[in-house]
Amino acid sequence: MQNSKSKIALYLSIRIILMVILQGITYLILFQKEQAFELSGYYWAIHITIVNILLITMMIIILKKSNESYFNFFKQMNKKNTIYFLKILIPIIVVAMLPNILLSLWLYQDPQIGTKFLLGSIPLFFMIINMTVFPILQGLVELPFYFSFIMPRLQKISTRKWIYVGLPVFFLSIQHAFMPLRFDFIYVIYRSLMFFPFALLIGILIHKKPMMLPYLVILHILMNASLFMMYFMN
């Protein structure tokens, strides 16, 4: 049991740990440049792409050992489920976008501040990866990792919903404060909270209706791709 708890604690925190390490390595590479640490943060999507490659590989291997399959997460698409998802799509989008806008206005008086934190000057090659590879891998890994991989394992060691749903929601939300890492308390509050309502909604939805995962993955891919499309539209 203790071993299981240790593994789950590692699973919950591994994205944050790896992102901090990768940003640190990037900072050391860029050390001699002006504002090197801030510049290292603009490579956050490259860092997450690397993390996602590692995590999807890990999930596939671990699930295979348990006679499960990562690809089973995505076998729930049919007409009935599609119609249900379309009915709840607008509320999901509102919950995904509105907290970010409100927090941006409250904390920074600037609804575009999130984009300014995330999009900076990096070589075109990396930006192309951010527009293509990153959204797909982020969609295929992030929600399945927290809610189809970690949450069922948490549920085996705790019957308390606030633990087995709440912990994945919490870590999914606060990880954004490390995408990228900035040593600014207001920034940490902003990035930790902006995703929380969406994370909570998704966590509850997948817990009650796991068949929604493939649709949420597609939506997540589109949302992430739209962020970097804004870079080329400006």
Side-chain angles (χ1 to χ4, degrees), residues 5-15 17 145:
K5 289 181 178 179
S6 298
K7 282 185 179 180
I8 290 174
L10 177 60
Y11 295 153
L12 285 167
S13 58
I14 193 169
R15 283 174 66 86
I17 294 169
F145 180 65

Side-chain angles (χ1 to χ4, degrees), residues 186-206:
I186 300 299
Y187 169 84
V188 171
I189 295 297
Y190 163 65
R191 290 288 290 167
S192 295
L193 293 179
M194 58 169 279
F195 204 74
F196 182 77
F198 181 65
L200 181 60
L201 174 63
I202 297 306
I204 294 171
L205 182 60
I206 294 177

Side-chain angles (χ1 to χ4, degrees), residues 16 34 37 43 63 91 101 108 111 118 128 135 164 193 202 206:
I16 293 173
E34 187 177 351
F37 191 77
Y43 290 84
L63 289 167
I101 296 171
Y108 294 101
L118 298 177
I128 291 172
Y164 67 77
L193 293 179
I202 297 306
I206 294 177

Side-chain angles (χ1 to χ4, degrees), residues 5-142:
K5 289 181 178 179
S6 298
K7 282 185 179 180
I8 290 174
L10 177 60
Y11 295 153
L12 285 167
S13 58
I14 193 169
R15 283 174 66 86
I16 293 173
I17 294 169
L18 291 175
M19 285 186 292
V20 171
I21 291 172
L22 289 171
Q23 185 170 342
I25 292 171
T26 306
Y27 168 68
L28 293 175
I29 293 171
L30 302 173
F31 183 77
Q32 294 184 337
K33 293 185 177 291
E34 187 177 351
Q35 296 182 314
F37 191 77
E38 181 178 353
L39 181 59
S40 71
Y42 291 135
Y43 290 84
W44 64 274
I46 298 297
H47 302 153
I48 299 174
T49 298
I50 295 170
V51 172
N52 285 335
I53 291 171
L54 294 174
L55 291 185
I56 196 169
T57 303
M58 182 192 78
M59 281 193 288
I60 290 171
I61 292 171
I62 291 175
L63 289 167
K64 186 176 181 180
K65 288 181 179 179
S66 305
N67 294 318
E68 302 173 78
S69 173
Y70 164 84
F71 302 100
N72 286 341
F73 295 158
F74 304 97
K75 292 183 177 180
Q76 302 284 346
M77 300 187 77
N78 55 51
K79 182 178 179 180
K80 180 182 177 182
N81 290 338
T82 302
I83 292 172
Y84 178 83
F85 180 73
L86 291 174
K87 288 179 179 178
I88 62 174
L89 177 59
I90 299 302
I92 290 175
I93 292 174
V94 171
V95 172
M97 297 178 63
L98 189 59
N100 182 19
I101 296 171
L102 294 177
L103 282 168
S104 298
L105 291 171
W106 178 43
L107 296 173
Y108 294 101
Q109 296 77 52
D110 182 358
Q112 299 299 319
I113 192 67
T115 304
K116 294 174 184 176
F117 283 138
L118 298 177
L119 300 180
S121 179
I122 64 174
L124 180 62
F125 171 75
F126 293 113
M127 189 56 70
I128 291 172
I129 292 176
N130 290 349
M131 273 196 64
T132 54
V133 180
F134 163 73
I136 295 171
L137 277 174
Q138 182 73 338
L140 291 175
V141 174
E142 191 172 59

